[in-house]
Amino acid sequence: MEDAIKKIVTTFLQSSRGKENLDSKSFQKMVSSNLGTIMENAQDKEAVDKVMGDLDSNNDGEVDFTEFIILVGALTVACNDFFLEYNEKQEKK
């Protein structure tokens, strides 16, 4: 788990180019290059802009690390749910 945390922090810092926030362009690039397999619409700018808007709780037009972690947490829960459902279906076969 420590490696996963390091990867999340490193990915955010690299994507934000050492700044505290991800602007729209940086967020789009980070999502498409790092979450493209998990997020169906990672290449769709409008869809990613909607996600960014939903995350931007302070409405500053950027995503800070805390807001970013909400996305990571939500995706982690969704993946867990998917695998639980998948395993349940496999057991019934």
Side-chain angles (χ1 to χ4, degrees):
M1 290 225 305
E2 289 177 3
D3 289 340
I5 292 169
K6 289 176 189 174
K7 180 68 174 173
I8 291 167
V9 171
T10 301
T11 298
F12 182 87
L13 291 174
Q14 288 173 344
S15 297
S16 67
R17 293 165 284 170
K19 298 179 185 174
E20 292 184 25
N21 300 323
L22 292 166
D23 59 24
S24 178
K25 185 177 179 179
S26 298
F27 183 75
Q28 170 78 40
K29 185 176 178 182
M30 187 274 305
V31 167
S32 63
S33 64
N34 292 284
L35 298 171
T37 304
I38 296 173
M39 291 181 63
E40 289 179 11
N41 298 327
Q43 302 303 324
D44 180 350
K45 182 170 176 9
E46 281 186 31
V48 174
D49 284 345
K50 168 119 177 55
V51 170
M52 182 172 171
D54 291 344
L55 293 172
D56 184 14
S57 61
N58 63 358
N59 297 314
D60 66 353
E62 298 182 326
V63 173
D64 63 27
F65 188 75
T66 301
E67 294 164 336
F68 169 70
I69 283 300
I70 292 169
L71 173 64
V72 173
L75 290 172
T76 303
V77 168
C79 288
N80 181 62
D81 292 346
F82 171 82
F83 287 116
L84 287 174
E85 185 178 317
Y86 176 82
N87 288 338
E88 189 175 292
K89 286 179 182 178
Q90 294 301 311
E91 290 174 3
K92 289 181 180 179
K93 285 186 177 182

